[in-house]
Amino acid sequence: MAAVLCVGLTTLDVTQRVHAFPAPGEKVRSIGSHLAPGGPAANAARAVAALGGSSSLLTALGADALGEFVRASLEPVQVVAVEGTTPVSMVVVRDADGERTVVSRNASVPVTAPDLSDLLAAADVVLLDGHHDGLVIPVARAAKALGLPVVLDAGSWKPVLDHLLPLVDVAACASGFERSAAEVHSYGVPLVIRTNGPAPVTWSRNGSTGEVAVPAVRVKDTNGAGDVWHGAYAYALASGTDPVAAIGFASQAAAVRVGAVGDWVERLARWQDSRSGSRSC
């Protein structure tokens, strides 16, 4: 079974679905609401599990009711949580096109990594999101020493990336990531990928470049779509798929996510089960 260790941020997402985003000072009534775990690492870990992989999550959670709710909601992901806080993200999704706005505290308390030997011994691929410096740097160093592929979810530039990028094998960047592919390669990253919403995903490796089309889909909710993309990509790598070929699989999984309203995990699992009657890539 393909095994992925996801390291980074976990949040509690409070999502409200609306016809239109409110103007400043305006109150609007939602047409639906949803409470679920969120955050790049946690969403990626849930995607790996939904696709049939062995999924582990190293993160920080508060020792409170919020943390307990999130932990219970993450099953069957194996959660290793150091003590910290449980950030709450307020998400508003526009019904017409699935666009969202997010207000979140993110990681705000320094944390220290626990013993990593068992987690890394069980992993085929490590996926990092750049949050929780005290977790992602030790994991990246240890994974590099063991020869495990390290994938970075590069959503936005963070100071820790100056230290993290030299340890990364694949940097999968969001469309708004503030560094060019050439700048990312200059840190020693072999493969740089950039997702571009509905436009083709671009990649560069060893002087070669290319692009991969993404599926056309009616978009209902874009929240966490990039996280699902990264989780599916890491799962494909752990399954033995070529790093460039894995782009197409990840984009298909992300298309399933944006076509779902509310909890997308079951829908992703059904999609994977329907693919040739197996859970392979």
Side-chain angles (χ1 to χ4, degrees):
M1 182 183 292
V4 179
L5 170 60
C6 302
V7 186
L9 183 66
T10 299
T11 66
L12 175 62
D13 282 7
V14 182
T15 302
Q16 299 280 359
R17 194 168 188 88
V18 299
H19 288 301
F21 293 137
E26 181 185 11
K27 292 182 179 180
V28 299
R29 176 176 292 182
S30 72
I31 56 177
S33 59
H34 184 65
L35 191 67
N43 280 335
R46 297 180 83 201
V48 171
L51 293 168
S54 175
S55 178
S56 299
L57 171 65
L58 175 59
T59 189
L61 288 172
D64 53 20
L66 294 182
E68 288 303 314
F69 173 83
V70 169
R71 185 191 290 270
S73 302
L74 284 168
E75 293 183 359
V77 174
Q78 177 193 356
V79 180
V80 177
V82 299
E83 187 172 350
T85 61
T86 306
V88 177
S89 289
M90 309 305 294
V91 184
V92 181
V93 179
R94 186 167 56 196
D95 189 59
D97 58 3
E99 189 56 76
R100 89 288 190 254
T101 62
V102 181
V103 178
S104 181
R105 177 68 172 163
N106 290 348
S108 58
V109 177
V111 295
T112 302
D115 178 42
L116 301 171
S117 53
D118 289 345
L119 285 170
L120 290 170
D124 298 310
V125 170
V126 172
L127 172 63
L128 314 172
D129 67 9
H131 294 278
H132 294 307
D133 299 13
L135 300 181
V136 294
I137 288 292
V139 169
R141 287 173 176 162
K144 198 70 172 178
L146 292 170
L148 289 173
V150 177
V151 179
L152 173 66
D153 170 356
S156 61
W157 181 261
K158 305 171 185 66
V160 71
L161 296 187
D162 278 324
H163 308 286
L164 196 56
L165 282 171
L167 304 170
V168 167
D169 299 292
V170 182
C173 309
S175 59
F177 187 67
E178 299 89 341
R179 300 292 188 275
S180 67
E183 290 175 295
V184 178
H185 280 304
S186 71
Y187 284 87
V189 180
L191 173 60
V192 179
I193 300 168
R194 188 178 294 268
T195 57
N196 298 286
V201 179
T202 59
W203 61 269
S204 56
R205 179 175 64 175
N206 297 328
S208 297
T209 61
E211 63 179 38
V212 180
V214 303
V217 62
R218 182 186 174 193
V219 177
K220 297 180 179 180
D221 189 346
T222 58
N223 188 47
D227 309 336
V228 172
W229 193 101
H230 291 99
Y233 182 85
Y235 168 79
L237 283 190
S239 301
T241 306
D242 174 81
V244 172
I247 294 172
F249 175 77
S251 297
Q252 292 176 49
V256 174
R257 194 288 164 250
V258 300
V261 175
D263 195 347
W264 45 267
V265 174
E266 183 179 348
R267 181 165 178 166
L268 186 62
R270 291 200 308 268
W271 171 78
Q272 176 71 329
D273 282 339
S274 71
R275 301 177 64 249
S276 303
S278 72
R279 282 181 172 271
S280 65
C281 291

